[in-house]
């Protein structure tokens, strides 16, 4: 924890540290980039910047702020009212900070955890550790991985993959995160043929669950690649397939031997990456 009183102190402080959260009190116009997760307590003043969450002092203030902001919390000030205490106020703020950090966790995940997630996905899909080619297993930030897997709809696959790789997975804790307004909980598709799954992805359903389902569909021995490619061409989806396969190569580590064509890294691939990155972004 570190506090500053003016924009100059803020600038100097940010040259030396990169805080998890910046909590602004009042309407001071500090030049802070969106790289930081901003929490604002307006204290009755007008605020004119985006925030991860805005904290009101009362239900009345929350109602007024709800006309502008989506994510609102109420924390009563113990200096202004006897309906709360210092301890209660601190506990509420700590819970809000934790919720902020437990939201959109992928950008906060370290490279080792991300690599191990891919390994667990492949192990969970294939059910065989021999398919996973890793020189060594790395430490895993299980808390962030559990959160990410939950909101991406892949918790069962991750759990099974961890078992296949003989990883000691701790019990997951209660998950409480802020979610973007466009978020929809991923639900397994009733139709598991590759064409139906690709159609959903092209329509914008880019939850990681869809790519796991597609990986499973492409690994099935009964898939008729010629008929599959013909169906995609009839739907004018054939040009999207190489990009989708590239995403599978990067996320579920699908082997090219199961790919109906070669993967490609192009504009549509970048679009898919952006859509996936924004899936849980606040």
């Amino acid at each position: 924890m570190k506090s500053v009183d003016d924009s100059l102190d803020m600038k100097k402080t940010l040259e030396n540290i990169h805080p998890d959260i910046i909590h602004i009190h009042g309407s001071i116009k500090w030049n802070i980039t969106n790289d930081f997760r901003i929490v604002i307590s307006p204290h009755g003043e007008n605020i004119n910047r985006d925030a991860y969450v805005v904290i009101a002092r009362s239900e009345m203030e929350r109602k007024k702020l709800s006309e502008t902001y989506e994510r609102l919390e109420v924390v009563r000030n113990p200096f202004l009212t006897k309906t709360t205490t210092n301890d209660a106020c601190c506990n509420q703020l700590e819970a809000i900070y934790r919720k902020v950090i437990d939201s959109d966790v992928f950008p906060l995940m370290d490279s080792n955890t991300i690599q191990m997630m891919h390994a667990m996905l492949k192990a969970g899909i294939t059910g065989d550790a021999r398919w996973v080619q890793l020189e060594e297993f790395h430490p895993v930030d299980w808390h962030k991985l559990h959160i990410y897997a939950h909101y991406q709809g892949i918790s069962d696959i991750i759990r099974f993959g961890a078992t296949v790789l003989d990883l000691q997975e701790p019990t997951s804790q209660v998950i409480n995160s802020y979610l973007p307004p466009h978020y929809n909980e991923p639900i397994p598709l009733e139709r598991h043929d590759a064409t139906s799954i690709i159609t959903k992805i092209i329509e914008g359903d880019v939850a990681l669950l869809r790519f796991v389902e597609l990986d499973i569909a492409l690994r099935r021995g009964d898939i008729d690649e010629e008929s599959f490619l013909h169906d995609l061409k009839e739907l004018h989806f054939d040009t999207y397939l190489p990009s989708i396969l590239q995403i599978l190569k990067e996320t579920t580590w699908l082997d090219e031997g199961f790919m109906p064509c070669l993967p490609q890294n192009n504009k549509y691939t970048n679009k898919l990456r952006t859509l996936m990155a924004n899936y849980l972004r606040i």
Side-chain angles (χ1 to χ4, degrees), residues 23-255:
H23 189 163
I24 299 175
H25 293 266
S27 61
I28 300 174
K29 297 178 181 178
W30 286 342
N31 184 23
I32 304 171
T33 69
N34 290 331
D35 294 338
F36 298 98
R37 299 192 173 195
I38 307 295
V39 174
I40 297 180
S41 292
H43 298 295
E45 299 182 23
N46 294 322
I47 54 177
N48 57 359
R49 69 162 297 138
D50 292 332
Y52 224 86
V53 62
V54 174
I55 300 176
R57 298 172 299 178
S58 65
E59 285 296 333
M60 184 180 297
E61 186 179 26
R62 184 201 64 77
K63 185 176 180 180
K64 180 180 178 180
L65 290 168
S66 66
E67 298 174 2
T68 307
Y69 295 93
E70 294 178 355
R71 293 175 300 281
L72 293 163
E73 301 282 0
V74 175
V75 178
R76 288 180 171 80
N77 190 327
F79 294 105
L80 302 178
T81 176
K82 294 182 179 180
T83 60
T84 189
T85 63
N86 289 341
D87 287 343
C89 178
C90 290
N91 290 336
Q92 285 179 283
L93 288 174
E94 184 178 2
I96 291 170
Y97 296 155
R98 170 53 57 192
K99 191 173 179 179
V100 169
I101 292 301
D102 285 351
S103 303
D104 189 22
V105 294
F106 189 79
L108 306 178
M109 290 166 64
D110 59 79
S111 57
N112 285 340
T113 298
I114 293 172
Q115 185 181 44
M116 291 303 296
M117 177 184 70
H118 296 319
M120 280 180 258
L121 284 175
K122 186 165 188 178
I125 290 169
T126 62
D128 191 335
R130 291 172 295 182
W131 280 99
V132 179
Q133 301 298 319
L134 276 181
E135 292 184 2
E136 61 177 322
F137 287 176
H138 303 291
V140 176
D141 186 334
W142 288 105
H143 181 66
K144 290 187 178 66
L145 180 55
H146 282 151
I147 295 170
Y148 185 71
H150 173 76
Y151 290 115
Q152 292 285 351
I154 57 171
S155 294
D156 290 343
I157 291 290
I158 290 293
R159 191 174 299 111
F160 181 51
T163 300
V164 170
L165 295 177
D166 198 24
L167 298 174
Q168 299 302 313
E169 181 185 10
T171 303
S172 60
Q173 301 174 346
V174 175
I175 294 174
N176 188 23
S177 310
Y178 293 110
L179 295 168
H182 59 263
Y183 173 79
N184 291 309
E185 181 182 358
I187 299 173
L189 295 178
E190 294 181 2
R191 297 185 61 182
H192 294 283
D193 61 284
T195 302
S196 297
I197 300 169
I198 287 175
T199 300
K200 294 293 291 183
I201 292 172
I202 294 172
E203 290 175 348
D205 187 350
V206 293
L208 197 47
L209 174 60
R210 298 292 164 253
F211 294 92
V212 168
E213 290 174 329
L214 181 57
D215 185 306
I216 294 171
L218 291 175
R219 287 180 185 273
R220 286 203 300 261
D222 61 349
I223 187 170
D224 186 335
E225 289 191 1
E226 185 176 344
S227 176
F228 168 58
L229 292 174
H230 177 268
D231 291 343
L232 288 184
K233 191 170 184 178
E234 287 288 306
L235 293 168
H236 304 290
F237 289 167
D238 53 313
T239 57
Y240 299 112
L241 181 59
S243 298
I244 293 172
L245 294 177
Q246 177 65 33
I247 298 297
L248 287 178
K249 181 179 179 181
E250 296 170 3
T251 56
T252 63
W253 290 356
L254 179 66
D255 305 275

Side-chain angles (χ1 to χ4, degrees), residues 152 182 201-207 211 268-281:
Q152 292 285 351
H182 59 263
I201 292 172
I202 294 172
E203 290 175 348
D205 187 350
V206 293
F211 294 92
Y268 184 66
T269 315
N270 289 330
K271 180 181 178 179
L272 283 174
R273 291 193 188 102
T274 300
L275 289 171
M276 295 174 73
N278 290 337
Y279 187 68
L280 293 171
R281 183 165 294 168

